[in-house]
Amino acid sequence: MSNEGFFFQAFVYLVAAVLSVPIAQRLGLGSVLGYLLAGVIIGPFVLGFVGNEGEDVMHFAEFGVVMMLFLIGLELQPELLWRLRLPILGLGGLQVLLTTLFFTGISLFFGLPWQMALAIGMILSLSSTAIVLQTLNEKGLAKTDGGQSSFSVLLFQDIAVIPMLALMPLLALEGAATAQNQVILVVATEGTGLPAWQQALLVIGTVVGIILGGRFLIRPIFRFIADTRLREMFTAMALLLVIGIALAMQQVGLSPALGTFVAGVVLADNEYRHELESDIEPFKGLLLGLFFISVGASIDFNLLLEQPLLILGMVLGVAIAKFIILFALGRFFRLEISQNLLFAFALAQGGEFAFVLFSFATQNRVLPSDVSEPLVAVVALSMVITPLLMIINEKLVQPRFIAAEVEREADEIDDNENPVIVLGFGRFGQIVGRLLIANGCRPTLLEHDPSQIDLLRRFGWKVFYGDASRLDLLHAAGAEQARLLVVAIDQPEKTLQIVDLVHKHFPHLKILARAVDRRHAYELIRRGVEVVERETFSSALDMGVEALKLLGVRSYRAHRAGRIFKFHDVQALQEMAEARGDESMLLARSRQLARDLEQLLQSDNRELTQEVDRAWDISVLRKDA
Amino acid sequence: MSNPNQILILFAHPAWEKSRVNRRLIQAIRGLDAVTIHDLYEQYPDFHIHVKAEQELLLAHDIIVFHHPFYWYSSPAILKEWQDLVLEHGFAYGTGGTALHGKKFLSAITTGGGAQAYCRQGYNRFSVRELLVPFEQTAHLCGMEYLPPFVVQGTHQLQEHGELVKHTEDYRQIITALRDDQIDWEKLYQFKHINHGLDQILKPQEMTHHV
């Protein structure tokens, strides 16, 4: 591809995305539908900017799905995955089995041979991981019961693709299956040409290698990279990791999506997890977008125009049949009704794996192209209507269950996301964090000094690596769900930056900030930070109290003197921070600061010469008597 | 002679530096054998009371004295906090709460108002014994024997060198006698205040022997 051609292509795709996605978003249609429509518009049928190379682009963009599964893996601690084993195997397994049986039966009914019928049944049982998860995430439904069930089923389907691919050549009508699959998403097992037992050993070895590597190798490597403090190196390393795993899986004939998913799960409790997430996220987003666009562009509208009733009827039939089977399974697995509807609406479409499997089946001469082509169109259209179905569910169906929904909302407190984020886990943040943990609140901890992280990890602390002033990292650390943000870093300028950033992007977060000195405290107070603590104030005050005690002042009196001092000092701090708010000139400000200090010292003096504390003074009483 | 009674003085005064009478009283008993003076405000300026340590102190003593000025017909705040925390269910009362059974309880208080104020016609309307009923009942519920209280009244008008000296001497005598079991218990309960009939309550010969 020539450079110019490449840039033109990139230009077309990007313009389409940039124009259609925000519009779709604004109209409440969600980004997925925006991408799909953009694809339709630039595709051969409407504007014709994208021709046959759209298919190559799709294969390339499928890597976005691989990245998505890696990110999903990162979010899934192994314990959580283990907890989901019943929905994954039970719900997922039954969904694939029943849907396959149903569509096989229908195909047989229409007189297709059983091999073709089974192939079609299997392919149509799959749903679209990319569209469903992206849409669920966008709507914030991923953590609901329905969302989790959808995820479980999708995960099972992604695994089920591998045996399906293996089975496909066996269904070939004329024997002699020689097709080579070159798509990146899934690779047939005959790729390596080794005997079966060697193949099996190779596969097991690779998976074990990924797990062991993830456990023991990744940490020192990331540590090494982090020490360079070059952000792009980290990004490069993250990409290298994902691509490397994808390649390795491809070499041994496994699904790269599955491989990166496993790697993600292995790295889920790694301290670099949030950093990895925020580095991969934009790539995943763009590639997925590209993927959706190419799906939109690949829809053959000529077929649709030739047989509109047949195609649309099939789209509708597929969606309704899948919906009914999903809903029944949801009932069987005791999903609450509104969650069950979400689950059934979300998964009632064909998936991107169907494109792969259809082309593979055609190559292997399982399906003739006059059968597979209309079906590809059906799957693509069913994918397009998924975001629409989700909107229907959200706007028309769910409101009927709103009362039940509210009640459920309350106990959806997510065990994955912590209500408190502590930025900076050095001398200051540690004390805050330890107190929180001692009282049953697990904060998400972020620290940018790798050696500090290693030390804390050795003592069993979960601390994540990352520069706290980055918006994407705050996202990854769960700032949307959190309630409090403790800024405990020791760089005053960066603290102010973070405060501004958080006020802008996460206005719901209450901020507790560490101030390095009085001036810094003024800045923070003026920014409306909820809690400002000067880092040395309380300990210095405590020491002053101890000094008073050693001088012979009774400890309760010294204690009260300390409290009174603190009260006045904090009050003065607030007043001064507000009073000087409108001053602009630097000179005047520093002069004012000097005056403030003088005032402060004087007022302290007055406090000392006067009786600090009038409590329990009986001299008046005695005069009275 | 048998072992002396161990006496625990739980002293609560938030402003020792401003105190006249209580300071003298404490000074009068400071250093006595088998008498532990436990200054609550000094020990717990932030009111964070170490419950376990306090309970162990109680177990190690036979006579518990609440010594404090009589603020608003009760004790200063920390002593209430102390009761709320230390006299736990299962320790001091309730099922299995027998740790204090058989111990003796004494209130030692100072009141600003004079004796004439603590009667139906006075401005405090109730007698000191009536106003001390919550403490008496607390002792009762904990299975302790409630002794007539030691009360110094009219502290606002007390002269440094006359009555005040007498009160401090009385206090020392009473604490010492309690420690050495030199009390005529029969007689004691005939008095409203322990310091009203000292010459009848204390057994004189033994007392001089020990002091």
Side-chain angles (χ1 to χ4, degrees):
Chain A
M1 198 189 300
S2 73
N3 254 352
E4 227 168 294
F6 172 75
F7 279 126
F8 179 69
Q9 283 260 312
F11 182 74
V12 167
Y13 278 103
L14 289 173
V15 166
V18 167
L19 283 182
S20 59
V21 173
I23 293 175
Q25 197 69 287
R26 187 63 56 86
L27 294 176
L29 303 175
S31 72
V32 177
L33 201 56
Y35 282 121
L36 289 169
L37 291 177
V40 170
I41 292 168
I42 64 171
F45 192 74
V46 183
L47 294 179
F49 284 134
V50 182
N52 287 335
E53 77 280 4
E55 203 144 311
D56 298 334
V57 173
M58 194 198 287
H59 289 325
F60 171 66
E62 274 165 1
F63 198 66
V65 181
V66 173
M67 283 179 162
M68 181 172 67
L69 276 157
F70 178 68
L71 291 177
I72 292 167
L74 276 182
E75 294 270 351
L76 269 184
Q77 268 90 355
E79 310 93 75
L80 184 60
L81 192 60
W82 181 243
R83 244 192 295 149
L84 286 177
R85 67 193 184 282
L86 183 71
I88 292 172
L89 294 178
L91 195 54
L94 280 175
Q95 187 272 337
V96 171
L97 185 73
L98 291 180
T99 317
T100 301
L101 285 179
F102 177 80
F103 286 117
T104 307
I106 293 284
S107 307
L108 284 175
F109 178 77
F110 281 105
L112 294 176
W114 70 268
Q115 291 95 332
M116 281 168 71
L118 182 59
I120 292 171
M122 288 193 304
I123 294 171
L124 289 183
S125 72
L126 303 174
S127 311
S128 171
T129 307
I131 289 183
V132 176
L133 290 187
Q134 181 73 12
T135 311
L136 286 176
N137 269 331
E138 234 169 69
K139 296 188 186 296
L141 297 170
K143 297 277 159 64
T144 59
D145 285 351
Q148 293 270 321
S149 303
S150 307
F151 170 75
S152 305
V153 170
L154 290 167
L155 193 61
F156 183 87
Q157 292 179 354
D158 290 353
I159 298 167
V161 170
I162 299 158
M164 285 182 190
L165 276 168
L167 206 59
M168 215 52 90
L170 306 179
L171 297 177
L173 291 174
E174 296 139 35
T178 51
Q180 271 269 330
N181 190 312
Q182 287 170 343
V183 293
I184 197 162
L185 206 56
V186 273
V187 179
T189 42
E190 76 252 55
T192 52
L194 291 171
W197 67 272
Q198 279 185 9
Q199 174 72 29
L201 266 184
L202 197 60
V203 167
I204 293 169
T206 310
V207 173
V208 170
I210 286 175
I211 292 174
L212 291 182
R215 273 262 175 274
F216 302 107
L217 214 60
I218 293 299
R219 194 160 292 155
I221 291 175
F222 275 119
R223 169 78 206 277
F224 177 69
I225 302 265
D227 274 333
T228 66
R229 309 234 167 205
L230 291 171
R231 248 204 89 191
E232 65 274 17
M233 274 306 102
F234 215 100
T235 311
M237 183 61 217
L239 280 176
L240 178 63
L241 180 73
V242 177
I243 294 176
I245 291 167
L247 271 180
M249 295 305 275
Q250 217 170 347
Q251 285 304 312
V252 301
L254 272 187
S255 149
L258 195 64
T260 48
F261 173 74
V262 171
V265 174
V266 173
L267 293 176
D269 55 0
N270 191 288
E271 62 265 44
Y272 296 101
R273 174 183 123 199
H274 291 306
E275 181 82 14
L276 272 174
E277 260 176 6
S278 53
D279 280 340
I280 298 282
E281 184 74 41
F283 292 100
K284 177 214 88 172
L286 279 179
L287 280 177
L288 266 189
L290 192 56
F291 174 72
F292 294 137
I293 290 180
S294 52
V295 169
S298 72
I299 296 176
D300 190 342
F301 283 91
N302 288 325
L303 267 177
L304 182 62
L305 286 186
E306 281 163 26
Q307 304 165 294
L309 284 181
L310 177 70
I311 302 272
L312 288 180
M314 273 162 64
V315 170
L316 219 61
V318 166
I320 290 173
K322 294 190 82 162
F323 181 91
I324 291 173
I325 292 173
L326 286 163
F327 191 78
L329 280 173
R331 283 298 288 267
F332 185 67
F333 278 83
R334 307 244 162 81
L335 267 182
E336 190 249 332
I337 179 114
S338 71
Q339 294 296 318
N340 193 8
L341 282 167
L342 169 68
F343 169 67
F345 271 113
L347 294 178
Q349 80 288 92
E352 55 273 7
F353 286 106
F355 301 131
V356 178
L357 286 166
F358 274 129
S359 83
F360 191 62
T362 316
Q363 287 165 30
N364 279 294
R365 276 170 272 169
V366 181
L367 295 174
S369 56
D370 61 330
V371 172
S372 66
E373 268 168 20
L375 285 174
V376 168
V378 167
V379 168
L381 281 172
S382 76
M383 282 164 81
V384 174
I385 63 165
T386 301
L388 288 172
L389 285 179
M390 300 281 277
I391 292 169
I392 290 172
N393 176 45
E394 190 181 40
K395 297 263 143 65
L396 300 178
V397 182
Q398 291 295 340
R400 292 164 190 275
F401 301 100
I402 215 76
E405 191 65 24
V406 170
E407 228 174 307
R408 284 224 45 80
E409 207 73 22
D411 47 8
E412 285 294 331
I413 295 172
D414 218 316
D415 46 16
N416 233 356
E417 312 291 347
N418 300 320
V420 184
I421 301 171
V422 177
L423 303 181
F425 206 58
R427 293 170 302 150
F428 195 97
Q430 274 166 33
I431 296 173
V432 181
R434 274 166 51 202
L435 179 67
L436 289 174
I437 290 174
N439 288 281
C441 164
R442 286 210 71 85
T444 299
L445 308 171
L446 290 177
E447 167 65 42
H448 74 285
D449 178 0
S451 59
Q452 182 81 354
I453 296 176
D454 281 358
L455 179 78
L456 291 164
R457 284 246 158 185
R458 240 180 291 140
F459 287 98
W461 287 84
K462 277 207 159 183
V463 191
F464 294 102
Y465 170 82
D467 177 349
S469 62
R470 278 174 43 200
L471 182 62
D472 50 355
L473 202 67
L474 286 171
H475 268 292
E480 272 106 343
Q481 292 87 0
R483 281 157 49 207
L484 304 181
L485 178 75
V486 178
V487 188
I489 59 176
D490 57 3
Q491 295 136 290
E493 280 310 312
K494 194 166 254 184
T495 302
L496 296 177
Q497 253 178 345
I498 293 171
V499 167
D500 291 341
L501 199 67
V502 169
H503 276 159
K504 190 158 162 225
H505 296 278
F506 309 103
H508 72 283
L509 266 184
K510 282 200 169 37
I511 303 176
L512 300 90
R514 162 189 183 181
V516 296
D517 55 20
R518 205 163 242 281
R519 202 181 307 198
H520 191 214
Y522 292 149
E523 295 282 340
L524 289 165
I525 292 171
R526 263 184 244 136
R527 278 171 162 79
V529 170
E530 274 83 359
V531 178
V532 176
E533 286 294 342
R534 284 165 285 164
E535 58 181 7
T536 54
F537 183 72
S538 285
S539 45
L541 193 69
D542 284 351
M543 191 174 279
V545 170
E546 292 304 316
L548 282 176
K549 283 197 214 168
L550 287 180
L551 286 172
V553 177
R554 296 241 319 156
S555 73
Y556 187 58
R557 181 184 163 148
H559 176 77
R560 278 182 59 84
R563 305 304 300 182
I564 291 167
F565 184 92
K566 181 171 184 175
F567 178 80
H568 286 297
D569 193 81
V570 169
Q571 224 176 24
L573 186 78
Q574 290 283 353
E575 271 165 31
M576 277 185 249
E578 283 153 23
R580 293 188 293 109
D582 45 357
E583 282 188 12
S584 54
M585 282 194 299
L586 222 85
L587 193 68
R589 195 162 141 177
S590 67
R591 218 180 287 142
Q592 182 73 34
L593 262 174
R595 234 176 296 144
D596 286 344
L597 186 63
E598 203 177 322
Q599 217 178 1
L600 190 74
L601 291 173
Q602 263 175 6
S603 69
D604 286 352
N605 242 333
R606 224 183 310 127
E607 290 290 348
L608 287 178
T609 47
Q610 260 182 17
E611 192 70 61
V612 176
D613 196 346
R614 287 250 300 281
W616 302 293
D617 201 346
I618 51 166
S619 44
V620 191
L621 277 175
R622 292 186 61 213
K623 270 178 230 143
D624 237 22
Chain B
M1 214 181 76
S2 61
N3 284 336
N5 286 318
Q6 298 290 324
I7 300 184
L8 175 63
I9 312 282
L10 287 167
F11 176 64
H13 196 307
W16 165 268
E17 56 284 343
K18 292 171 187 167
S19 149
R20 297 162 58 243
V21 179
N22 278 293
R23 181 160 28 172
R24 295 295 190 79
L25 291 173
I26 286 293
Q27 279 163 356
I29 57 167
R30 187 161 272 158
L32 287 178
D33 277 345
V35 175
T36 307
I37 298 174
H38 189 43
D39 186 342
L40 292 176
Y41 275 104
E42 185 67 12
Q43 190 75 33
Y44 304 117
D46 56 0
F47 275 51
H48 184 66
I49 290 169
H50 188 342
V51 173
K52 198 89 202 94
E54 292 299 314
Q55 290 178 345
E56 270 156 24
L57 264 183
L58 286 176
L59 291 174
H61 292 84
D62 308 300
I63 299 172
I64 313 300
V65 181
F66 278 16
H67 180 161
H68 55 89
F70 201 43
Y71 285 163
W72 284 112
Y73 315 107
S74 184
S75 65
I78 202 168
L79 193 55
K80 182 63 167 68
E81 180 91 344
W82 182 96
Q83 294 172 57
D84 295 350
L85 293 173
V86 178
L87 300 179
E88 281 178 327
H89 182 269
F91 172 80
Y93 72 103
T95 319
T98 57
L100 306 177
H101 279 201
K103 297 185 190 297
K104 291 186 171 66
F105 178 93
L106 177 74
S107 270
I109 60 169
T110 60
T111 67
Q116 73 288 347
Y118 286 92
C119 63
R120 287 286 171 276
Q121 294 74 33
Y123 60 83
N124 286 320
R125 301 207 296 134
F126 299 94
S127 74
V128 169
R129 279 302 292 267
E130 283 171 329
L131 293 169
L132 278 173
V133 156
F135 292 94
E136 185 169 350
Q137 174 54 22
T138 300
H140 177 76
L141 191 68
C142 295
M144 294 197 280
E145 198 179 321
Y146 185 80
L147 307 178
F150 174 82
V151 186
V152 178
Q153 295 191 286
T155 54
H156 298 330
Q157 287 130 313
L158 278 185
Q159 298 307 308
E160 292 284 324
H161 303 288
E163 302 155 276
L164 186 50
V165 172
K166 184 187 176 316
H167 284 303
T168 57
E169 275 168 10
D170 285 355
Y171 193 41
R172 181 181 169 92
Q173 278 189 356
I174 288 166
I175 294 297
T176 312
L178 284 170
R179 177 191 69 186
D180 299 333
D181 237 340
Q182 299 303 312
I183 300 271
D184 186 336
W185 299 105
E186 294 281 307
K187 289 253 172 61
L188 172 60
Y189 289 108
Q190 294 168 9
F191 294 96
K192 287 282 179 202
H193 300 175
I194 197 170
N195 43 340
H196 279 177
L198 272 190
D199 44 345
Q200 295 178 56
I201 295 166
L202 304 181
K203 294 180 183 169
Q205 69 278 37
E206 300 267 358
M207 186 198 82
T208 46
H209 164 81
H210 215 85
V211 171

